[in-house]
Amino acid sequence: AQSVTQLDSQVPVFEEAPVELRCNYSSSVSVYLFWYVQYPNQGLQLLLKYLSGSTLVESINGFEAEFNKSQTSFHLRKPSVHISDTAEYFCALLDGNTDKLIFGTGTRLQVFP
Amino acid sequence: DVKVTQSSRYLVKRTGEKVFLECVQDMDHENMFWYRQDPGLGLRLIYFSYDVKMKEKGDIPEGYSVSREKKERFSLILESASTNQTSMYLCASSQDSDIRDNEQFFGPGTRLTVL
């Protein structure tokens, strides 16, 4: 069965510090991975995705994630966070046969001044 | 820009009431989805639909039904609301096409409280 695990429910950091949000997946078929972000009182927005090709993918606001097949991971990183990055982040795996997304339980990133 | 709208941001209902949550998308997407979001549980799929009048059960369909009479509209129905259905409900849509275009676009959510 396919699944997604986000090991950290909350990650508190100070502004300008680096951050890593961890995501591990389990899948026996082709792997398509996504990171979504949910700002307070809003719906989910796509942050970045891995479908194929380069294992390092980037977002427009400085986040990056690396697909690591041997470690079945897709960790999200940012070298220097801002207060405005405070949000909940969801890792998700797409079942290519059904178009269903399988979500992790989410990581709440809280950035302090 | 793709837009997914949900009829209410906040809703308060009483136990036993019939509740309708409406979702509309304006990008002619074939696929539509209903999730509920609960702290510590992430998003769980309730129902989804690949086309008009088609529906498939997700992971937690009990206590819910759906209706898709038009391509752009996907309704979630709670036949008899219960307190354990208090949650945030999120609607999403996506194209039925090549995997590269298969991003799901989400609405702002409806926070339902059942008293």
Side-chain angles (χ1 to χ4, degrees), chain B residues 1 8 10 12 36 39 51 65 83 92 110-111:
Chain B
D1 264 2
S8 306
Y10 300 93
V12 180
R36 64 176 281 175
D51 203 347
S65 62
T83 55
T110 295
R111 187 169 293 281

Side-chain angles (χ1 to χ4, degrees), chain A residues 32 34 36 38 41-44 46 49 51-52 88 90 94 96-101 103-106, chain B residues 9-10 31 33 35 37 40-43 45 48 50 57 59 90 95-96 99-100 102-104 106-108:
Chain A
Y32 309 106
F34 300 77
Y36 279 84
Q38 184 180 35
N41 300 314
Q42 294 185 29
L44 273 69
L46 181 67
K49 60 185 176 184
L51 302 179
S52 64
E88 188 147 22
F90 292 93
L94 179 70
N97 292 323
T98 64
D99 293 338
K100 289 167 59 177
L101 276 175
F103 284 90
T105 51
Chain B
R9 292 299 304 272
Y10 300 93
N31 304 330
F33 306 83
Y35 297 90
Q37 180 183 6
L41 297 177
L43 276 75
L45 184 64
F48 59 105
Y50 291 131
K57 291 181 179 179
D59 300 316
L90 292 166
Q95 282 182 296
D96 181 19
I99 193 71
R100 295 177 187 279
N102 234 334
E103 175 186 347
Q104 284 192 22
F106 284 80

